[in-house]
Amino acid sequence: MKLSLNWLREFVDVDLPVPELARRLIDATAEVESWETIGAQWDPERIRVAEVLAVEPHPNADRLRLVTVEAGHGRQQVVCGAPNVAAGQKIAFATEGAELIDGHTGERAKLKLRPIRGVESAGMVLSEKELGLSENHEGILGLRPEAPIGRPLVEELGDIVFDISTWANRADLLGVLGFARETAAITGKVMREPERTHGTSARNVEDAVSVTIEDPDLCLRFTASLIENVTIGPSPQWMQERLQKAGMRPINNVVDITNYVMLETGQPLHAFDYDLVRGNRIVARRAKPGEKLTTLDGVEREFDGEMLLICDGEGPVGIAGIMGGGNSEVSATTKNVLLEIANFRPGSIRRTSTYLKLRTEASLRFEKGLGMEMPEFAQHRALHLFEQLTGGTVASGLVDVYPGKEPRKTVIVEASRIEQVLGIAVPTEDVRRILTDLGFVCHFVPPGRYSVQPPDWRPDIEIADDVIEDIGRIYGYDKLPTTMLRGVLPAPEVDPVRDLRERMRDLAAALGFQETISYTLSDLARLKRMVPEDDTLRSNPLAVVNPVAAQHAYLRTSLRPSVLETYASNRRHVDGALRLFEVGFEYLPVEADLPHERTVLCAVLGGGRETRWAQAGGERLDFFDAKGAVESFLNGIGVRAAYAPRAEFGFLEGHTAEVRVGKERVGLLGQVHPDHAAMFDIDEPVFLLELWVEDLVRHLPERPEYSAPSKFPEVRQDIALLVDAAVPAGRVLEIARSHRSGTIRISADLFDEYRGKGVPEGKKSLALRLRFQATDRTLTDADVAKGQQGLVIRLSKELGAELRGS
Amino acid sequence: MSSEPSLEGLREEALAALASASNEAGLEQWRITFFGRQDGRLTALLRSIKDRPADERASFGANANTLKQELEAALEAKQQDLKAAALKALSTESAIDVTLPGRPQAIGRLHPVTQTMRDCLKAFGDMGFRVAEGPEVEWDRYNFDGVRIPEDHPARDMWDTIWVNTLIDGKRHMLLRTHTSPNQVRVLERTAAPPVRVVVPGKCYRQEATDATHEWMLTQIEGLAVDEGVRMSDLKGVLYEWSRQMFGADRKIIFHHSYFPFVEPGVEMAIDCFICRGDGRECHTCHGTGWIEILGAGMVHPEIIETAGYDSSKVTGFAFGIGVERVALLRWGIEDIRNFYANDVRFLSQF
């Protein structure tokens, strides 16, 4: 909404400085985004109001004229090329040195006078363009006849235009009057209403037109008036100026009046050429499905059966509340005007304009909900202007079909409720003053109750708390104290998946991974680089109807493409090791329900391992870095896992493992298949690990497995085992770690794997460090020997292992 | 007896040899020469005491033992000297260039949005708010209808929605939540009776063009407190405390009127500009107003309280919604929101 300060001042005195007014409006009413000062560049000394006294031909040029003006310092003669300059006109006059916009170049420049075709010129008669008011350079700008000669133009025409965002529930703030009321309430000034008096002719409008509302659920009120014998022409300068400041284009006096009254009151109006309304009747009815109308913008539109049309005796002449039809448009030849001002169901207007993709100044107002009394108010305001500005006569009476009439609402507001909601008691006199200023009728009913009737133009006021908001915002939220919540705390929200997810985030960072967050919407091609066709769940992701871009059309079912893409984009400018992770959802489709948002941690690593000297060609991160990370993650959360080779789409077989807890898979790690890495433009070994938070959470120990450190020394012993080369080392460790010898605990670590000289073909040697520990005594050599022997026998039985060198 | 060295001669010889020893090996050689178990010269001397004539034996023995003690002490002193000299050399000739870079250790960081989110949740957690998450892919009845934004309501313009392409009974109902407010409804739905005091963190989506201050994927924290006696002044108190935690203890806050269909009254909160402190007309952060718009809030609409099954004449509540990226932008002076999801580690690793 563009709000002219001059226009506002017509209805309320404003003596606050502009920034202060803006601030108070922001605090209490609506968001003032910015304001523009019109005339800030107009030098009050050099640009003034002048009167044209005489116009004579230029002796040396046919297109130029010599104009005598009076600007308060005696008669002056200027050379002027404008076609529309005429004696008796008030105009804007600039003298040497005034800063203007050059009519031809559009550049800002100081006025330099020089003879034109041999005749001296004392100044310049200005166009709108030269003043920066519009692009119009056709003719000079005419001022109102009463403008005082010699008055600085900035005082005559200068203005402030605010750019304000208003709220979706306040159609009244899409009119100057709405802001006048708010300003009055904020500043304590009195608001004036616009002139609405007019004469009437002997002709009665009821004889000229009949109105029928066939669908009173959509058309709540319809008023019509008739203005006869109008003279179509331009509207006066002041009206055009205000329309332009509001961002509208002046068209002719009739159309301009409808727009002007809409901008002033917030109530849209529509003018028909009465003589084009067939059958002297207007019908508001739902469209027949498929019915068509070419609207004012020249577009043929087709309607469905829920759209409300305004029709005449033969067919549609307008889309209710949105746009009129071309068939009944006011034109240069219009003599008689039928003026429609109505009220429609807001949701219906909203629906129709959404479906037709046609948002207009009218629809934006109707969809927010307008006061039911506004049509009548706007009729008289418009008729006043018609009488003044078109030369037409107003037929007596008003056609007013009003099926939606309801008794005026009363809202009871308990004084205690004000304090209950706001946390502060507002004095009774403030409540009454605020509500009265805003147009409410407010009765205080002792001991502590207000009976309130909201003004008609505020259909948004439905309940006591709506009234309390108005009290609060005008009273000032700065008066509210800052207090702290009281009462008992609710039970904690239990969410183990979230808790584990956050622990894993911390662990990832501690393990050297940088967290990244990527868009959760991807595209099919990218997803399918890492999702196999036969994974029917993941290869059929949910699509969105209206993605912001084609590459964000599907909800991702895997994080793998995301982290690989992030890896690739960073590889372009990072040498050396890259370790990245993301925690996010896989959005897995569920039939006829919301998708399963499955929490997954996905990490990627690759590149040269950090060394002391930053140099290329060092050791690269490999599978065992990924595995070490997984082990640390699981160690960090107290889960013991096993690993087994796995064939997985997108991964290099023989270099990929699944992570298992018991029989359940909880994750995956491995080298991304070089062919798949290449799809992401990665041309180096890259390793990916994935841990499935929702599966892991089921295996979390309720609390850490804890035992007091033993007071007795542990005994260490290194042994070497010979096993078949095919036996996974993990099996040996698993058995060793699960082994018990009476009350003696044995722990085992692998410290070497060796094949080659001294080891038979097809075998490998595994070096284990065993630690024996009892909690109740110091171990004897015999204890240790027995423990070791038991373990070796078991390994020999289960895996065919033999003690090397024995 | 003439071939027998005098005690005095042995002493001088031993001390001279010790003085010339310059390292551990020399000392060991010296020890073997004089104290060697088999044929150390002092050892031999001591062993010979018993062969002395009886009248000399006592005095010779005493002198020999004195000499032994003296030489042992001298050895000990020499060892200390050598150790001190070696340490001295370590600090001088073998001093390292401490300005050389260290051996690199991998360090990871959390994403700035995660960090900011956690700091916010911590601030609210300290005030008794529980964390309750909800789905990102939502039903329109939670995202819109449940928060008083029915179809054909102009407030739907406030959130440009990305819809999921599934039809249920011929209509689209599934969408990417445009705000975290739907989880207000879910939390109220599953809470039989007040109090409710939760914060809802999570991603939201808007169908809008991206620029320096707008992203189509964003992170929000929704706050909701519902109980008997919850007042707008409590909302002010809670948000004041959060502002101080996030932006500094001397922050000021201001409420101005705003509109959200699910709150009544509705406000927008601004904090005083901590960049220019209100005097910078050129300030890019507050645009010279001295105030930075930071979040929307208000008192929960009584209709929503009633829908939850609570008595709205007794039970009141407040709600607020914070854009986490915006908070992160402000606290670190980041000029472009698009940095967050571009995932350039050169950016991310600075936080």
Side-chain angles (χ1 to χ4, degrees), chain B residues 24 61 140 167 198 215 242 255 262-263 278 281 284 295:
Chain B
E24 277 293 330
D140 56 354
L167 294 179
V198 294
E215 255 290 3
W242 168 79
F255 275 2
F262 36 97
V263 289
R281 282 187 202 164
H284 292 299
L295 58 86

Side-chain angles (χ1 to χ4, degrees), chain A residues 27 350 421 469 477 480 483 486 490 493 501-502 506 515 517 519-520 543 545-546 570 587 597, chain B residues 109 114 118 130 133 136-137 161 163 165 190 205 207 215 229 232-234 236 257 264 266 343 345:
Chain A
D27 284 351
R350 163 99 186 159
V421 171
E469 173 174 72
Y477 293 129
L480 258 57
T483 55
R486 303 160 295 180
E493 292 271 338
R501 181 192 73 200
E502 293 307 314
D506 285 333
E515 187 183 19
I517 299 177
Y519 294 121
T520 53
V545 181
N546 51 342
N570 278 290
Y587 303 83
E597 297 177 5
Chain B
R109 286 179 174 80
T114 303
R118 285 190 172 184
R130 315 298 195 188
E133 295 183 352
E136 289 175 20
V137 184
T161 311
W163 292 88
N165 194 11
R190 67 170 186 247
Y205 303 85
Q207 219 295 347
E215 255 290 3
M232 200 165 177
S233 57
D234 298 326
K236 206 171 166 184
H257 172 60
E264 192 67 46
N343 282 327
V345 295

Side-chain angles (χ1 to χ4, degrees), chain A residues 261-273:
Chain A
V261 174
M262 176 182 73
L263 293 171
E264 193 170 77
T265 63
Q267 168 71 53
L269 307 78
H270 183 69
F272 295 99
D273 184 326

Side-chain angles (χ1 to χ4, degrees), chain B residues 80-286:
Chain B
Q80 289 300 332
D81 287 353
L82 278 183
K83 212 166 170 182
L87 280 174
K88 182 133 197 297
L90 205 57
S91 308
T92 52
E93 291 117 67
S94 306
I96 55 170
D97 179 355
V98 297
T99 65
L100 285 174
R103 218 161 257 120
Q105 317 283 313
I107 176 150
R109 286 179 174 80
L110 296 180
H111 193 282
V113 169
T114 303
Q115 293 184 41
T116 302
M117 168 75 88
R118 285 190 172 184
D119 292 341
C120 291
L121 294 181
K122 165 85 171 59
F124 291 119
D126 289 350
M127 291 183 270
F129 285 82
R130 315 298 195 188
V131 179
E133 295 183 352
E136 289 175 20
V137 184
E138 257 295 7
W139 298 116
D140 56 354
R141 68 169 189 274
Y142 285 112
N143 195 75
F144 288 128
D145 304 72
V147 289
R148 302 187 72 249
I149 312 169
E151 209 179 341
D152 298 336
H153 192 288
R156 285 210 178 182
D157 283 348
M158 294 161 76
W159 299 273
D160 292 314
T161 311
I162 299 178
W163 292 88
V164 176
N165 194 11
T166 51
L167 294 179
I168 291 170
D169 300 333
K171 284 198 82 176
R172 286 202 178 96
H173 291 291
M174 207 187 281
L175 49 78
L176 304 189
R177 66 177 172 194
T178 58
H179 48 184
T180 38
S181 306
N183 213 42
Q184 273 191 30
V185 185
R186 287 178 177 271
V187 169
L188 290 174
E189 209 172 65
R190 67 170 186 247
T191 309
V196 170
R197 203 183 286 190
V198 294
V199 275
V200 182
K203 288 192 180 95
C204 306
Y205 303 85
R206 309 261 169 95
Q207 219 295 347
E208 64 180 26
T210 306
D211 63 24
T213 54
H214 296 86
E215 255 290 3
W216 62 269
M217 183 175 91
L218 54 147
T219 315
Q220 271 201 347
I221 297 175
E222 183 90 0
L224 178 70
V226 175
D227 200 358
E228 288 188 21
V230 173
R231 305 154 294 179
M232 200 165 177
S233 57
D234 298 326
L235 171 65
K236 206 171 166 184
V238 164
L239 293 177
Y240 178 49
E241 177 56 19
W242 168 79
S243 303
R244 291 194 297 182
Q245 294 279 347
M246 296 303 295
F247 298 104
D250 56 344
R251 271 308 47 71
K252 293 198 242 332
I253 64 165
I254 189 174
F255 275 2
H256 24 83
H257 172 60
S258 187
Y259 168 69
F260 306 96
F262 36 97
V263 289
E264 192 67 46
V267 292
E268 203 127 319
M269 191 191 86
I271 56 174
D272 62 325
C273 183
F274 51 89
I275 306 293
C276 70
R277 303 200 172 264
D279 59 3
R281 282 187 202 164
E282 300 293 306
C283 180
H284 292 299
T285 305
C286 70

Side-chain angles (χ1 to χ4, degrees), chain B residues 19-76:
Chain B
S20 67
S22 61
N23 53 31
E24 277 293 330
L27 283 189
E28 182 59 15
Q29 188 54 53
W30 183 88
R31 199 189 58 76
I32 290 164
T33 307
F34 293 96
F35 286 94
R37 202 182 283 191
Q38 290 300 314
D39 45 8
R41 294 175 57 192
L42 193 63
T43 316
L45 192 76
L46 290 169
R47 210 179 280 139
S48 72
I49 293 173
K50 63 179 192 307
D51 303 330
R52 289 271 158 188
D55 56 336
E56 285 178 26
R57 204 179 287 163
S59 68
F60 184 82
N63 289 341
N65 267 316
T66 307
L67 177 58
K68 181 191 174 208
Q69 278 161 18
E70 186 187 348
L71 290 183
E72 276 172 350
L75 173 63
E76 169 98 26

